[in-house]
Amino acid sequence: MKTLTRQKPWEEIKEMLNGVDKVYLVGCGTCATMCHTGGKAEVVEMKAKLEAAGKTVTGWMVVPTTCDELTKYALEENAPAVQAADGILAMVCAFGVQTISLYSDRLPYPALDTLFVGLEDEPGHFIEVCMQCASCVLGRAAGLCPLVRCAKTLLNGPCGGSVGGKCEVSPNIPCVWQDIVDRLQAAGRLDRLEEISPVHDWSVSNSGGPRRLGLEEVCPAYGKLEATR
Amino acid sequence: MKAGTNLEKVLTSGGFAVTAEAGPPKGTSPAAVQKKGETLHRCCDAVNVTDNQTAIVRMSSIAGCVLLKQQGIDPVMQIVVRDRNRIAIQSDVLGAIALGIGNFLCLSGDHQKFGNHPQARGVFDIDSIQLIQTLKRMRDEKKFLSGDDISGEVPMFIGAAANPYADPFEFRVVRLAKKVKAGADFIQTQAVFDVPKFARWMEMVRDRGLDRQVHILAGIIPIKSAGMARYMRDNVSGVSVPAEIVTRMEQAKSAKEEGFRIALETVEQLKEMPGVHGIHIMAVGWEDIVPELIDKAGLLPRPAL
């Protein structure tokens, strides 16, 4: 599982950094390095680009994993250079950008667009398979999520646009409902398709507002572990 | 009677129904709708008003339906789940009933990618089958999806779409069965060009006894030119235009006459097909041809019930 990112167009980055003359750069040693969007090479390249555009780069670092508390210590260690900047250009995913927000009062600006949390289905190739809706329907759909893999989030598909195993939206998108039908057929469970899937409960998804979870709620032992640490 | 609309009366009396589609304008002119209404009035039992078809913004279906209603036409309000969530849809249905609309067609809707606002967020809160269920519950139990009570009467004649040409073919009849189970009273199909394939689908429909549980109206799109035939073959998802039809259109002296002939031949075959209870004509931009087509097909005058 990796967070897939793509670098924003240079014009958009320049526009975002309007009035931010001194910039501190942060990259990430995990997903953004793998995506070649925010590893050491890209950070160094961005530094040169910013300087050529007349910005002062007060410093840079590539945090091994920006989305955990390592970022806090890394920002503390580099405090003089970070605090000397007007803002932080974060060449990390949105999780990393918001981790920076947790630990620094310098405003972060994302240099990357976060695409999705992907599953590597073949080496170097990722697909989006889960939208974290908090109400899993995989049991009704042969283990393939129609909410995220169908362009119309149909729970009773396929729609009338499924042709030759492809989605009407693009010939590059497989129709997940064709795959679901094929898998159910192979498993001798086509009868499952006769059932009408009920309306989805979106209240537990992001529609209900940002979600939080304390591990002590689900695992009482967690609190004790923390206490003895 | 579930709603007592003209369409419901024609179908329940065992008649062969004729409906047609009227796309509302990309603007504010009531005359644009009224002109189509005037053309289709005497030759159809009901007229569908599309709901932002192909995801292009147009006058709302509910407004178009009211304009037709004022002309004495029985409207069919199309509802897609692409643009509205369960709250907005149920609200629109209440308003539509208050305005005298009785026929509703439940659809997924073309994906927003195909329209003039491809950056729009697709809603798809519920799907088309769940929409049918929702309307049935509103009508039969007088309850919203939430279980709350609805005040007043909720008469509705509920429709749905079916596409025998989409894949997987064997599943298409299962999907129809789900729509019937969900509460569909009538079905309007995707346009029929490949009659033998439609006949095979109808055979499966009859094998499951679905033709006795729901009224199936077969879709017709009169083709105006060879270019249109090729365009529909290559670019309209879920439509199947056989090579033979494209060739006929390409070789014809008058493409319009040939297109008319093809549509007429198709109607003739569908009229004879067991289990088909009517036709639905989607004459996109060629509504003028509909009265003559219905006349030549021997379907005039329309019954006055």
Side-chain angles (χ1 to χ4, degrees):
Chain A
M1 196 178 81
K2 290 282 187 306
T3 305
L4 285 303
T5 49
R6 181 169 52 211
Q7 207 168 98
K8 283 180 177 287
W10 171 239
E11 288 305 313
E12 189 182 337
I13 294 172
K14 265 202 314 195
E15 171 85 24
M16 205 166 35
L17 294 180
N18 228 334
V20 183
D21 298 325
K22 292 180 218 149
V23 181
Y24 189 82
L25 273 172
V26 177
C28 179
T30 311
C31 306
T33 291
M34 180 206 73
C35 288
H36 298 279
T37 51
K40 189 178 169 192
E42 293 79 34
V43 170
V44 169
E45 193 186 326
M46 181 63 77
K47 178 176 181 284
K49 237 173 161 175
L50 289 170
E51 286 169 346
K55 305 277 184 196
T56 302
V57 176
T58 63
W60 61 271
M61 64 177 169
V62 176
V63 183
T65 317
T66 321
C67 62
D68 69 20
E69 61 180 17
L70 268 178
T71 300
K72 180 187 175 197
Y73 304 123
L75 286 165
E76 278 169 8
E77 214 164 90
N78 295 284
V82 174
Q83 295 307 116
D86 303 321
I88 298 170
L89 185 63
M91 301 178 70
V92 303
C93 75
F95 292 86
V97 177
Q98 294 180 70
T99 307
I100 293 170
S101 294
L102 267 183
Y103 299 121
S104 176
D105 61 359
R106 286 290 174 271
L107 295 183
Y109 298 92
L112 313 183
D113 283 319
T114 301
L115 307 179
F116 56 90
V117 177
L119 169 80
E120 194 166 12
D121 61 344
E122 50 188 273
H125 184 260
F126 293 83
I127 51 168
E128 186 178 14
V129 297
C130 177
M131 59 160 65
Q132 289 100 41
C133 74
S135 184
C136 195
V137 299
L138 288 172
R140 287 199 295 266
L144 302 171
C145 181
L147 289 171
V148 70
R149 297 168 82 153
C150 166
K152 297 180 181 175
T153 63
L154 299 182
L155 287 169
N156 290 287
C159 76
S162 173
V163 175
K166 300 295 178 193
C167 173
E168 67 173 26
V169 168
S170 161
N172 298 321
I173 303 175
C175 170
V176 72
W177 273 104
Q178 173 78 60
D179 294 341
I180 292 169
V181 171
D182 291 346
R183 280 173 63 85
L184 286 174
Q185 188 157 29
R189 289 307 311 270
L190 269 181
D191 57 297
R192 298 235 57 172
L193 287 177
E194 304 268 346
E195 303 160 13
I196 297 176
S197 284
V199 295
H200 199 65
D201 177 5
W202 293 105
S203 70
V204 291
S205 79
N206 178 258
S207 289
R211 295 166 283 176
R212 302 184 75 109
L213 178 72
L215 280 185
E216 70 282 358
E217 288 172 31
V218 285
C219 174
Y222 185 80
K224 284 177 203 150
L225 277 175
E226 284 290 286
T228 55
R229 211 185 253 172
Chain B
M1 284 282 151
K2 289 164 174 166
T5 62
N6 190 53
L7 178 61
E8 184 182 7
K9 284 179 192 159
V10 171
L11 285 170
T12 51
S13 70
F16 190 85
V18 178
T19 59
E21 179 179 290
K26 288 162 80 173
T28 58
S29 164
V33 177
Q34 287 155 348
K35 187 169 172 281
K36 289 185 182 179
E38 199 49 52
T39 306
L40 301 171
H41 196 170
R42 312 273 165 227
C43 63
C44 299
D45 304 313
V47 174
N48 287 45
V49 182
T50 51
D51 182 5
N52 298 294
Q53 79 267 28
T54 62
I56 288 170
V57 179
R58 292 172 180 276
M59 183 188 289
S60 65
S61 178
I62 195 165
C65 284
V66 170
L67 289 166
L68 292 183
K69 183 93 190 155
Q70 288 165 354
Q71 289 173 284
I73 296 166
D74 183 27
V76 180
M77 179 168 141
Q78 299 198 175
I79 306 175
V80 302
V81 298
R82 177 194 62 223
D83 309 323
R84 291 181 208 84
N85 69 6
R86 63 192 80 178
I87 299 172
I89 289 175
Q90 292 179 99
S91 161
D92 277 354
V93 166
L94 297 183
I97 294 171
L99 291 164
I101 298 164
N103 307 305
F104 296 86
L105 187 74
C106 304
L107 304 165
S108 306
D110 299 307
H111 194 269
Q112 62 274 12
K113 181 209 144 145
F114 299 107
N116 58 359
H117 293 72
Q119 292 177 329
R121 182 171 186 171
V123 176
F124 301 110
D125 174 30
I126 58 177
D127 68 24
S128 59
I129 291 182
Q130 294 160 349
L131 174 59
I132 300 166
Q133 255 184 339
T134 302
L135 298 201
K136 182 180 162 64
R137 182 163 197 209
M138 290 175 80
R139 180 188 66 198
D140 295 352
E141 299 173 36
K142 295 223 303 183
K143 283 188 190 305
F144 292 109
L145 197 49
S146 65
D148 281 3
D149 293 332
I150 300 173
S151 64
E153 295 306 309
V154 194
M156 273 191 267
F157 195 48
I158 305 170
N163 184 2
Y165 301 106
D167 290 324
F169 179 66
E170 290 69 26
F171 172 72
R172 288 298 141 189
V173 75
V174 177
R175 188 159 161 87
L176 177 71
K178 281 176 91 164
K179 291 188 174 187
V180 172
K181 191 154 95 178
D185 300 309
F186 70 95
I187 297 290
Q188 290 172 320
T189 77
Q190 180 59 274
V192 177
F193 293 107
D194 183 345
V195 179
K197 191 168 185 181
F198 187 81
R200 280 206 302 284
W201 178 74
M202 276 307 300
E203 203 179 311
M204 291 161 80
V205 169
R206 290 193 303 272
D207 285 347
R208 288 184 69 134
L210 294 170
D211 58 314
R212 292 189 303 275
Q213 298 167 50
V214 72
H215 300 288
I216 296 172
L217 279 66
I220 296 283
I221 297 182
I223 317 177
K224 226 173 175 175
S225 65
M228 180 178 169
R230 285 190 298 266
Y231 179 83
M232 300 227 331
R233 178 193 62 191
D234 301 334
N235 298 308
V236 182
S237 60
V239 175
S240 161
V241 183
E244 182 211 333
I245 295 220
V246 178
T247 310
R248 274 181 68 178
M249 290 301 290
E250 281 170 344
Q251 293 175 349
K253 278 205 189 84
S254 162
K256 278 188 169 183
E257 279 173 28
E258 191 64 23
F260 183 87
R261 249 194 306 277
I262 291 169
L264 186 59
E265 285 168 17
T266 310
V267 174
E268 298 285 7
Q269 292 178 74
L270 292 168
K271 263 171 68 185
E272 304 306 319
M273 207 177 282
V276 175
H277 294 184
I279 49 166
H280 175 57
I281 304 169
M282 297 163 277
V284 193
W286 199 19
E287 284 80 8
D288 297 351
I289 203 70
V290 178
E292 196 188 336
L293 182 63
I294 305 299
D295 186 20
K296 288 274 162 58
L299 294 167
L300 283 183
R302 298 309 308 151
L305 299 169

